Amino acid sequence: MYRTRPLLGRLFSGVLALGIVTTLAVPQAVADPPNGGESLRLLAKAAPDECFAGIGVPYPPGPPCAEGQPKVNQAYVWGLAQTGRRLWFGTGANVLCLKPEGYNVREPILNDDYACEYGDSQPAQQNPQLPATLGDHRPPQVFTYDLSTDDLRERTADIVGASEADADLLRSTAGLRAAAAHHGVVLLGGPSVVDGVNLFAFDSFSGRYLGSANLTAYQNIRHFTVAAGELYAGVGLGVNGGESGQVLRWTGNRAAPFTFVEVGDLPTQVADITAHHGRIYVTTWPKAIVDGSAAAPVVDTSGLASVWMSPPLATGAPGLTVDDAHGWTQVWTVGEYEPDPVVAQAYALGGLASFDGHLYWGTMHVPLQATALHLATYPPRSPAQVQATVQNTQRALGVFRGRAFGTAFEQVETLYGESELPAFDPTANGGTGAWASTPTGQTPRYGESGFGDPFNLYAWKMAVAGDRLYIGTMDFAYISLDGEMPTPDPGSAEATPPTFGADLWAFDSADEAARPVDTTGLGNPLNQGVRTMIPYGSTLYVGTANPMNLRADPTPGVPKGGWELIELTRP
């Protein structure tokens, strides 16, 4: 067996603390994975955009950097859409360093891979009103990539040069985490660091910038989907979007691109969204994930991470209307799987897709979030209890599927998960409490959580391309293990070590287990997450999450930080 530490590493101290830019267009071969015939090609890569000379030190001019070292702030391809042979995408900068309100950030983080300056950053020092949690914020960027010519164009200047109001709105955007293309309009949006959701629109035919808007009624937006010819989005309301959720139907056009009607009223913020068998389905995030708060151990299950189903799209007026807002049905909740009621509050749901007659979804587990909630709910009385809480609250991603929801033939299966998980009994040991292995009530059909890798924490995104369902993960091994691969126990020959970098798995049919397409970051072990995916026939376009902002060594072959845009094809 391999000795692997729990998910602590550089973030263990976080348990106590919780309370114009150049980009490389570099089409090149990345890898030819052996498992299913897919091949990977790197299309574009974030490049250094700042010089870093130390925590709290003014940023030297550059790059190129005569002083300090190059830094790559742009970390995520956060929103990705396609119109014909053109990809549109928006980025997110230093996402690993951005913390929502409610987290008590104490000390900056600096290591060989990344820096989080928090309140010591130059933006924070120059603007005392900026919370330390946003000290590493940098404005997002917008790009197009022409798939016919392999031409990458940055379109950020179109927004910044339109007006000071447009420029200010972009500067106040945490990141462009949602993107869509529909009826001649490209929309890119994300949460504002001030208030509301910021949206930016382009004409998908001419590429002309159409304008921007700030929607103050909502505080977060993550994904769009098209169903029965109409565009829908999921949003969150309240502080950081944590109070409740809405599903919006877009009613705009190129002349008025920012009009929506509310067609879904949900108790928690919407994460992913997709169409399946004539309805809209969404996954949700609970309030505890957003602000770190813990409720009583017994909670209303409607507030847990869940899958919700809309009324039929064909009933009444075509598509969903305002009359459908209160007609959504909760069809699954994490409380049906997770036996510990506090840990259940820390589950989020991620990727969601319709495939081969089933609806598939997966879980997400923010590192140490469940640990922090448990420590707050049941304060430990000794270091040993702290360690036990850390060990027993960690979860890897689970994958589930269902069909025939709301009928006598409804069926939900656990595909990758556990038959038993630790649960805390606060009455054990005379009130001291104890952890015990507890049945989940499930028998996983194909394998263990995380596809057998305990560091696979997020089933972040799902997409169907070429009659295959692809699932992209967030793999936390590199950060958790401080970038050092664990060593095998003496005398053990059968153990497989963890891998660094996000995984991409594929279901070739509903009757087969998933197979690994790539488990090493799609050619770069610093790509910790598959954040976005867009199918085009049997081709898949992937945007990665790579927060290693100090990994900018220009030496060929050396893994580098910053987002990547990758093309996956198969014969």
Side-chain angles (χ1 to χ4, degrees):
M1 296 294 291
Y2 275 75
R3 293 193 181 100
T4 60
R5 286 177 280 170
L7 302 180
L8 305 178
R10 298 163 176 161
L11 292 190
F12 179 69
S13 60
V15 173
L16 302 179
L18 282 176
I20 261 166
V21 174
T22 319
T23 303
L24 303 178
V26 286
Q28 56 183 279
V30 174
D32 292 314
N35 298 297
E38 290 95 341
S39 61
L40 302 171
R41 187 168 71 110
L42 179 63
L43 301 181
K45 169 73 177 171
D49 56 346
E50 199 169 83
C51 298
F52 178 77
I55 297 292
V57 178
Y59 308 133
C65 303
E67 299 178 47
Q69 66 182 101
K71 184 173 180 235
V72 188
N73 289 301
Q74 299 298 327
Y76 285 20
V77 174
W78 223 354
L80 178 64
Q82 182 177 7
T83 57
R85 296 291 291 162
R86 179 185 291 170
L87 299 176
W88 290 79
F89 62 97
T91 69
N94 295 327
V95 180
L96 183 66
C97 305
L98 303 183
K99 306 296 182 184
E101 186 177 332
Y103 286 81
N104 179 21
V105 174
R106 293 183 176 179
E107 300 292 338
I109 300 172
L110 177 62
N111 52 60
D112 292 339
D113 296 309
Y114 64 92
C116 294
E117 295 186 89
Y118 300 130
D120 289 349
S121 71
Q122 293 303 295
Q125 292 185 39
Q126 294 165 8
N127 181 8
Q129 295 182 332
L130 187 70
T133 53
L134 297 176
D136 295 278
H137 168 256
R138 304 291 188 274
Q141 299 171 307
V142 176
F143 296 90
T144 58
Y145 189 91
D146 191 311
L147 297 168
S148 299
T149 63
D150 285 329
D151 178 48
L152 180 77
R153 288 188 58 194
E154 184 177 357
R155 307 300 300 269
T156 314
D158 295 11
I159 300 174
V160 174
S163 72
E164 190 59 34
D166 289 272
D168 284 344
L169 209 62
L170 187 66
R171 284 191 287 264
S172 69
T173 304
L176 295 169
R177 74 189 312 172
H182 194 58
H183 290 338
V185 176
V186 174
L187 293 171
L188 299 113
S192 168
V193 299
V194 179
D195 183 41
V197 165
N198 296 339
L199 292 177
F200 305 86
F202 290 81
D203 186 313
S204 63
F205 299 108
S206 68
R208 180 173 59 92
Y209 176 59
L210 299 176
S212 64
N214 171 248
L215 307 182
T216 57
Y218 317 112
Q219 298 298 321
N220 209 345
I221 186 169
R222 296 178 183 274
H223 295 284
F224 290 91
T225 196
V226 175
E230 299 296 330
L231 179 66
Y232 298 88
V235 297
L237 285 70
V239 178
N240 297 313
E243 297 301 327
S244 61
Q246 290 277 358
V247 176
L248 310 180
R249 177 177 171 176
W250 186 61
T251 57
N253 52 49
R254 278 179 283 180
F258 306 114
T259 60
F260 299 85
V261 294
E262 297 174 351
V263 298
D265 189 5
L266 303 174
T268 47
Q269 84 168 269
V270 178
D272 213 338
I273 179 171
T274 198
H276 174 70
H277 287 191
R279 298 175 186 259
I280 298 291
Y281 289 78
V282 302
T283 53
T284 65
W285 278 41
K287 178 179 172 60
I289 291 295
V290 177
D291 61 11
S293 64
V298 177
V299 298
D300 178 359
T301 58
S302 67
L304 295 176
S306 304
V307 179
W308 290 81
M309 176 180 73
S310 78
L313 299 176
T315 300
L320 300 179
T321 70
V322 292
D323 294 333
D324 296 310
H326 298 290
W328 290 65
T329 304
Q330 184 184 41
V331 297
W332 187 85
T333 172
V334 300
E336 298 175 39
Y337 170 73
E338 171 58 54
D340 187 278
V342 177
V343 173
Q345 295 179 64
Y347 275 61
L349 294 187
L352 181 71
S354 177
F355 175 67
D356 214 356
H358 298 77
L359 181 73
Y360 288 70
W361 65 91
T363 65
M364 299 173 62
H365 306 275
V366 178
L368 298 176
Q369 181 72 78
T371 303
L373 291 182
H374 237 287
L375 292 174
T377 305
Y378 299 111
R381 301 181 185 181
S382 69
Q385 288 185 330
V386 174
Q387 185 64 24
T389 301
V390 172
Q391 294 280 10
N392 287 288
T393 52
Q394 306 305 319
R395 303 288 188 264
L397 68 87
V399 178
F400 305 83
R401 73 180 179 194
R403 60 182 176 178
F405 295 106
T407 74
F409 304 100
E410 179 175 320
Q411 180 185 36
V412 175
E413 296 178 275
T414 300
L415 303 183
Y416 290 88
E418 307 296 332
S419 58
E420 293 186 347
L421 285 168
F424 187 71
D425 179 1
T427 66
N429 295 330
T432 301
W435 291 91
S437 184
T438 306
T440 63
Q442 308 295 319
T443 301
R445 178 167 180 169
Y446 293 129
E448 298 176 335
S449 303
F451 297 110
D453 183 345
F455 296 98
N456 264 333
L457 303 189
Y458 294 6
W460 217 345
K461 190 61 182 173
M462 298 185 184
V464 177
D467 297 323
R468 295 175 175 181
L469 171 62
Y470 292 92
I471 301 179
T473 79
M474 188 278 275
D475 187 315
F476 203 60
Y478 189 86
I479 290 180
S480 180
L481 298 173
D482 298 337
E484 298 179 5
M485 193 61 73
T487 57
D489 284 343
S492 174
E494 78 282 1
T496 300
T499 57
F500 292 153
D503 290 13
L504 184 64
W505 290 72
F507 284 96
D508 295 324
S509 79
D511 300 320
E512 301 175 63
R515 59 175 174 82
V517 176
D518 185 276
T519 60
T520 58
L522 306 182
N524 183 348
L526 302 182
N527 284 332
Q528 74 170 34
V530 172
R531 185 60 189 90
T532 51
M533 294 193 288
I534 290 288
Y536 186 72
S538 61
T539 299
L540 193 67
Y541 296 102
V542 178
T544 72
N546 184 334
M548 307 305 172
N549 56 28
L550 296 183
R551 292 295 297 272
D553 186 337
T555 304
V558 175
K560 297 170 179 60
W563 61 259
E564 294 183 355
L565 182 66
I566 296 169
E567 178 186 68
L568 180 145
T569 58
R570 66 183 179 91

